[in-house]
Amino acid sequence: MEKNIKEIPKIATEYTQRGADILEIRIDAIKNPSKAKIKELAGNIQSPFIATNRSSEEGGLFKGSEKERIELLAAAAEEAEYVDIELRTKKEELKKIIELPVKKIISYHNFHETPTLERLSRIVKEEKRIGHIAKVAVMPNTIKDTLTILELSSKEDDLIAISMGELGKYTRIITPLFGSPITYATGGKPSAPGQLEIEKTRLILKELKPKEKIV
Amino acid sequence: MEKNIKEIPKIATEYTQRGADILEIRIDAIKNPSKAKIKELAGNIQSPFIATNRSSEEGGLFKGSEKERIELLAAAAEEAEYVDIELRTKKEELKKIIELPVKKIISYHNFHETPTLERLSRIVKEEKRIGHIAKVAVMPNTIKDTLTILELSSKEDDLIAISMGELGKYTRIITPLFGSPITYATGGKPSAPGQLEIEKTRLILKELKPKEKIV
């Protein structure tokens, strides 16, 4: 999580060179953001990116009002590949993002526990109804909780499912084998518990990915 | 899989230095074995090892009779940490191994498919009734089959559960996180489909293993 807005385009290029296919720009980690500043930043980033402005309720750092949060996110959206918006965003604010001509990742975070497979399936269904990619990031309390996330991944397409923290760390490498379109790695300080570095993620994924047999 | 019996003690030491905690000596991969040769070999190995003499029905290379197979295995048992014996071994031959004063790994292999969780649980129960560690190594046909193995691992102690082949390769790194006492890696040519190298196994395991939080 980087905070100096001027540094971000350079860091973005560096992370891409280090092996990231797409970046996540965390607006909530930027000090004193304004619409103009965010628009300028978005235009200066050379790599494909996800624009995210995480509320504190979902584990983010954003301190302003919901209206401000959504305005800043929308400001970045024009240049973004995806916008990440929380399923639990209030309806009228959510609508502002849903109507934008950009692909949406609809996300759900739970830093305390792993809901049941049934509950998570319902959340994913709701997310897919309004977005292109569904995301659930939940905390395991036992190693068995991490299996719920793998099961969910095996059942759903266009889903990013993450089991967070130390116990769930391995799911960040495994869910891509189950068809997850995106996994989150870090170039510096992790933005969520359990993230691995870009290079390690790439290397381990390469090692564990089934190789197609050439007969 | 090494075949020159004279080379084996040296290779064993090398593999231990490369990071293996315990080795598997595959008697079935040795050319023209005799009880005397195997006894001598077992005495010359400096590292803790599992003695295995795999029948062709379970994916091994042994060509002789069942009586010979068991005799050779028993010859190595005195020096072994564990003896691996197939659950489907005929009762009278199985008994000869079960009665030896050595710890037993009771194993089941299926190179065609992944039986249901219920069927595998029954196999594990039978294995544990006569041995110290249960082992099931089965082939997945879909990525979902690999979850059966993780579920089984999460339910059982003293179980080595492996999903073989390219699809299941990742389970060799993940089941130790679920408490599996042993995972199989290779120093040279793999003895089963999907095995990773010793060094890679160690490195990835270290990366993905939950770190205890020191507060």
Side-chain angles (χ1 to χ4, degrees), chain A residues 22 50 82 105 133 159-162 172 175-176 179-184:
Chain A
I22 188 164
I50 302 164
Y82 289 96
I105 297 173
I133 294 181
L159 168 67
I160 304 162
I162 297 162
R172 295 178 182 271
T175 53
S180 172
I182 293 173
T183 191
Y184 292 74

Side-chain angles (χ1 to χ4, degrees), chain A residues 82 104-108 117 119-128 131-138 148-163 171 174-184:
Chain A
Y82 289 96
K104 288 101 196 167
I105 297 173
I106 315 293
S107 61
Y108 166 85
L117 186 63
R119 171 105 186 84
L120 287 171
S121 298
R122 280 201 302 277
I123 290 167
V124 169
K125 201 179 161 187
E126 275 185 71
E127 288 177 344
K128 283 192 182 170
H132 302 74
I133 294 181
K135 180 184 175 189
V136 296
V138 298
T148 303
I149 286 306
L150 297 188
E151 270 195 74
L152 188 70
S153 300
S154 80
K155 284 184 179 166
E156 302 273 357
D157 292 326
D158 300 323
L159 168 67
I160 304 162
I162 297 162
S163 188
T171 65
I174 300 309
T175 53
L177 311 183
F178 285 84
S180 172
I182 293 173
T183 191
Y184 292 74

Side-chain angles (χ1 to χ4, degrees), chain A residues 166 169-170 200 207 211, chain B residues 166 169 200 207 211:
Chain A
E166 285 293 320
K169 198 157 64 171
Y170 83 89
K200 283 179 184 162
E207 210 52 60
K211 283 165 194 70
Chain B
E166 284 293 320
K169 197 157 67 170
K200 284 179 184 162
E207 211 52 60
K211 283 165 193 70

Side-chain angles (χ1 to χ4, degrees), chain A residues 8-212:
Chain A
I8 295 177
K10 212 180 70 191
I11 295 165
T13 303
E14 182 206 318
Y15 285 7
T16 300
Q17 284 162 354
R18 284 171 62 188
D21 295 318
I22 188 164
L23 306 170
E24 182 181 49
I25 305 299
R26 288 289 294 263
I27 300 168
D28 56 303
I30 295 168
K31 275 183 193 162
N32 309 317
S34 70
K35 276 204 276 185
K37 273 201 224 169
I38 295 297
K39 253 197 174 96
E40 192 193 338
L41 167 67
N44 287 337
I45 294 172
Q46 305 297 312
S47 319
F49 69 90
I50 302 164
T52 303
N53 195 9
R54 195 71 77 221
S55 65
S56 59
E57 288 84 357
E58 302 257 344
L61 301 168
F62 195 73
K63 298 269 192 293
S65 71
E66 269 299 272
K67 189 163 170 281
E68 282 164 351
R69 191 172 75 85
I70 298 304
E71 272 176 7
L72 291 169
L73 185 58
E78 221 167 288
E79 304 283 343
E81 188 85 2
Y82 289 96
V83 163
D84 178 314
I85 181 82
E86 301 76 8
L87 179 66
R88 291 184 287 193
T89 307
K90 279 203 186 109
K91 224 170 172 180
E92 60 192 303
E93 301 300 338
L94 183 61
K95 209 180 151 209
K96 290 178 193 163
I97 297 297
I98 297 303
E99 283 172 353
L100 295 175
V102 60
K103 285 184 279 184
K104 288 101 196 167
I105 297 173
I106 315 293
S107 61
Y108 166 85
H109 301 81
N110 187 330
F111 289 85
H112 303 294
E113 54 169 13
T114 299
T116 62
L117 186 63
E118 293 66 36
R119 171 105 186 84
L120 287 171
S121 298
R122 280 201 302 277
I123 290 167
V124 169
K125 201 179 161 187
E126 275 185 71
E127 288 177 344
K128 283 192 182 170
R129 203 170 46 81
I130 52 173
H132 302 74
I133 294 181
K135 180 184 175 189
V136 296
V138 298
M139 191 61 84
N141 288 309
T142 65
I143 189 90
K144 213 165 177 301
D145 283 341
T146 66
L147 286 184
T148 303
I149 286 306
L150 297 188
E151 270 195 74
L152 188 70
S153 300
S154 80
K155 284 184 179 166
E156 302 273 357
D157 292 326
D158 300 323
L159 168 67
I160 304 162
I162 297 162
S163 188
M164 292 189 288
E166 285 293 320
L167 275 177
K169 198 157 64 171
Y170 83 89
T171 65
R172 295 178 182 271
I173 302 291
I174 300 309
T175 53
L177 311 183
F178 285 84
S180 172
I182 293 173
T183 191
Y184 292 74
T186 177
K189 218 179 137 208
S191 61
Q195 274 178 13
L196 290 152
E197 284 165 25
I198 300 169
E199 292 86 347
K200 283 179 184 162
T201 302
R202 271 255 175 256
L203 268 170
I204 301 177
L205 252 176
K206 196 180 147 221
E207 210 52 60
L208 298 184
K209 228 169 84 179
K211 283 165 194 70
E212 301 214 39

Side-chain angles (χ1 to χ4, degrees), chain B:
Chain B
M1 297 266 265
E2 309 297 334
K3 300 198 178 190
N4 186 339
I5 196 163
K6 283 185 189 142
E7 298 281 311
I8 295 177
K10 214 180 67 192
I11 296 165
T13 303
E14 183 207 317
Y15 285 7
T16 300
Q17 284 163 354
R18 285 172 59 188
D21 294 319
I22 188 164
L23 306 170
E24 182 181 49
I25 305 299
R26 287 289 294 265
I27 299 167
D28 56 304
I30 296 167
K31 274 182 193 163
N32 309 316
S34 71
K35 276 204 276 185
K37 275 199 221 167
I38 297 296
K39 254 198 174 99
E40 193 193 338
L41 167 66
N44 287 337
I45 294 172
Q46 304 297 312
S47 318
F49 70 91
I50 302 164
T52 303
N53 195 8
R54 195 71 77 220
S55 65
S56 58
E57 289 84 358
E58 303 257 345
L61 301 168
F62 195 72
K63 299 269 192 293
S65 71
E66 270 298 274
K67 190 162 170 280
E68 282 164 350
R69 190 172 75 85
I70 299 303
E71 271 175 8
L72 291 169
L73 184 58
E78 219 168 289
E79 304 284 344
E81 188 85 0
Y82 289 96
V83 164
D84 178 314
I85 181 83
E86 301 77 8
L87 179 65
R88 292 184 288 194
T89 307
K90 278 205 186 107
K91 222 168 174 182
E92 61 193 304
E93 301 300 338
L94 183 60
K95 208 179 153 208
K96 288 178 193 163
I97 297 296
I98 298 302
E99 283 172 351
L100 294 174
V102 59
K103 285 183 279 183
K104 287 104 199 166
I105 297 173
I106 315 294
S107 60
Y108 166 85
H109 301 81
N110 186 329
F111 289 85
H112 304 293
E113 54 170 12
T114 300
T116 61
L117 186 63
E118 293 65 35
R119 170 104 185 86
L120 287 170
S121 297
R122 280 202 301 277
I123 290 168
V124 169
K125 201 177 162 189
E126 274 186 72
E127 288 177 343
K128 284 192 183 170
R129 205 171 45 83
I130 53 174
H132 302 75
I133 293 181
K135 180 184 175 190
V136 296
V138 298
M139 191 62 83
N141 288 310
T142 64
I143 190 91
K144 212 163 178 299
D145 282 341
T146 65
L147 286 183
T148 304
I149 285 307
L150 297 188
E151 269 194 73
L152 188 70
S153 299
S154 80
K155 285 185 178 163
E156 301 274 356
D157 292 326
D158 300 324
L159 168 67
I160 303 163
I162 297 162
S163 188
M164 291 188 289
E166 284 293 320
L167 274 176
K169 197 157 67 170
Y170 83 89
T171 64
R172 296 177 181 272
I173 301 291
I174 301 308
T175 53
L177 311 182
F178 285 84
S180 172
I182 291 172
T183 192
Y184 291 75
T186 176
K189 217 180 138 209
S191 61
Q195 274 179 15
L196 290 153
E197 284 166 24
I198 300 168
E199 292 86 347
K200 284 179 184 162
T201 302
R202 271 253 176 257
L203 267 170
I204 302 178
L205 252 177
K206 196 180 148 221
E207 211 52 60
L208 299 184
K209 228 169 84 178
K211 283 165 193 70
E212 302 215 39
K213 276 181 198 156
I214 296 154
V215 187

